[in-house]
Amino acid sequence: MGLTCLLCQNQFKELNLYQLFRQKQQRLICYDCYQQFENIQKNTTRCQFCQKKLVAEAVCNDCRRWQIIYPNDCLKNTACYQYNLELKNLIRRYKRYHDASSCEIFVALIESELKKKQYDYYVCLPSSPKHSQERQFDHIELIFSKIIKPTSILTYVEQQHYQAQGEKNRQERLLTTQMFTCQDFKFDKYTRILLLDDIYTTGRTLYHARDAIRKVGFLGQIDSFTIAR
Ligand SMILES: [Zn+2]
Ligand SMILES: [Zn+2]
């Protein structure tokens, strides 16, 4: 039976591809399209902390900077895919049209990797209220909630609060100003939390989320998981 690829709209046969890969994404998108997504887990050389693709070094420039701010306490991130053009386009399409098929493709692309992660709490990073209002839903949480049960404890701090901070330069403000507040939920102090986000860019938002959670007294392990790096 022929299937229609949700990305290129070409017809493809389920049987052959299913025999080859036996994975859900091959029933949604064709093999040619699937190959455009570069699975980071298959790369040999990557940053030991954030999984950025590297040529030789073991720690990327972003994480070197974090090592200075958080000595011996770098966030351990698992990223699924290289943030290449295909992934960028799919994220853009999803954010613009909120289409169910993009969401389904993301779920299929990350499901097996995310299911390997056993944590007590899964916390999605909230997008700015302005953005989620425009989109009528939190796009990131919608993807992840189809795989795990998210715990909503973080609130985005409005941008205006930053700007009131006077003459600090932009770089300094980016590093020091908190982006999130965490509600004091009844967690067991020593459980494990996995932060979830779409793209790991510099790691700033994830580090800020971790700071916010620790600020309310959480002493357990906090790691992160992103669709792309
Ligand atoms: Zn295709
Ligand atoms: Zn890194």
Side-chain angles (χ1 to χ4, degrees):
M1 195 186 75
L3 293 172
T4 304
C5 172
L6 292 179
L7 284 176
C8 69
Q9 313 304 325
N10 285 334
Q11 298 281 316
F12 66 102
K13 285 196 176 73
E14 180 179 27
L15 189 65
N16 297 340
L17 294 161
Y18 189 62
Q19 283 170 338
L20 274 170
F21 302 98
R22 297 176 186 280
Q23 282 182 17
K24 198 177 171 185
Q25 59 263 36
Q26 273 77 36
R27 296 196 292 278
L28 298 175
I29 58 177
C30 72
Y31 182 58
D32 289 340
C33 285
Y34 176 59
Q35 276 204 311
Q36 304 302 312
F37 298 103
E38 193 185 330
N39 192 325
I40 282 184
Q41 300 303 317
K42 289 171 188 161
N43 289 337
T44 47
T45 312
R46 53 179 187 261
C47 173
Q48 64 182 90
F49 297 114
C50 71
Q51 303 203 314
K52 186 187 173 81
K53 193 172 158 188
L54 297 175
V55 179
E57 309 133 287
V59 180
C60 76
N61 289 337
D62 289 320
C63 291
R64 278 178 208 279
R65 196 184 59 166
W66 295 122
Q67 279 181 316
I68 296 166
I69 302 167
Y70 300 93
N72 298 315
D73 192 24
C74 272
L75 188 65
K76 190 87 181 67
N77 185 61
T78 299
C80 289
Y81 295 90
Q82 180 70 26
Y83 189 49
N84 61 13
L85 187 65
E86 284 68 26
L87 200 80
K88 193 182 267 179
N89 286 340
L90 184 57
I91 289 178
R92 193 179 296 157
R93 178 177 118 170
Y94 180 46
K95 287 183 178 177
R96 188 172 301 163
Y97 304 111
H98 341 135
D99 58 318
S101 63
S102 300
C103 183
E104 233 185 311
I105 293 168
F106 277 123
V107 171
L109 285 172
I110 66 170
E111 197 171 19
S112 63
E113 229 28 80
L114 183 54
K115 277 183 172 166
K116 289 179 194 163
K117 305 280 172 192
Q118 294 299 318
Y119 283 76
D120 302 296
Y121 300 102
Y122 299 88
V123 176
C124 296
L125 265 59
S127 36
S128 80
K130 184 173 160 281
H131 286 152
S132 45
Q133 204 174 29
E134 280 165 9
R135 289 194 296 268
Q136 298 297 314
F137 67 92
D138 197 308
H139 68 283
I140 299 309
E141 186 156 334
L142 190 74
I143 295 170
F144 289 116
S145 65
K146 292 184 187 298
I147 308 168
I148 47 82
K149 187 180 173 291
T151 304
S152 301
I153 49 170
L154 293 173
T155 309
Y156 193 90
V157 179
E158 277 293 358
Q159 201 79 26
Q160 290 90 290
H161 296 178
Y162 298 0
Q163 283 148 8
Q165 292 218 344
E167 293 306 307
K168 280 183 182 177
N169 69 48
R170 185 174 171 274
Q171 186 67 15
E172 198 181 334
R173 216 167 48 223
L174 287 177
L175 287 171
T176 57
T177 310
Q178 187 50 257
M179 295 173 68
F180 304 105
T181 54
C182 180
Q183 74 186 61
D184 196 359
F185 72 116
K186 296 278 168 273
F187 50 72
D188 178 342
K189 281 182 161 43
Y190 296 98
T191 47
R192 298 165 77 230
I193 292 177
L194 188 65
L195 300 171
L196 305 170
D197 204 2
D198 54 353
I199 310 157
Y200 187 115
T201 310
T202 63
R204 182 174 67 95
T205 47
L206 289 162
Y207 275 91
H208 279 192
R210 187 178 73 168
D211 285 348
I213 296 170
R214 284 181 174 173
K215 212 173 167 183
V216 296
F218 183 79
L219 301 171
Q221 187 182 335
I222 304 174
D223 299 321
S224 64
F225 181 100
T226 58
I227 297 171
R229 171 63 169 112

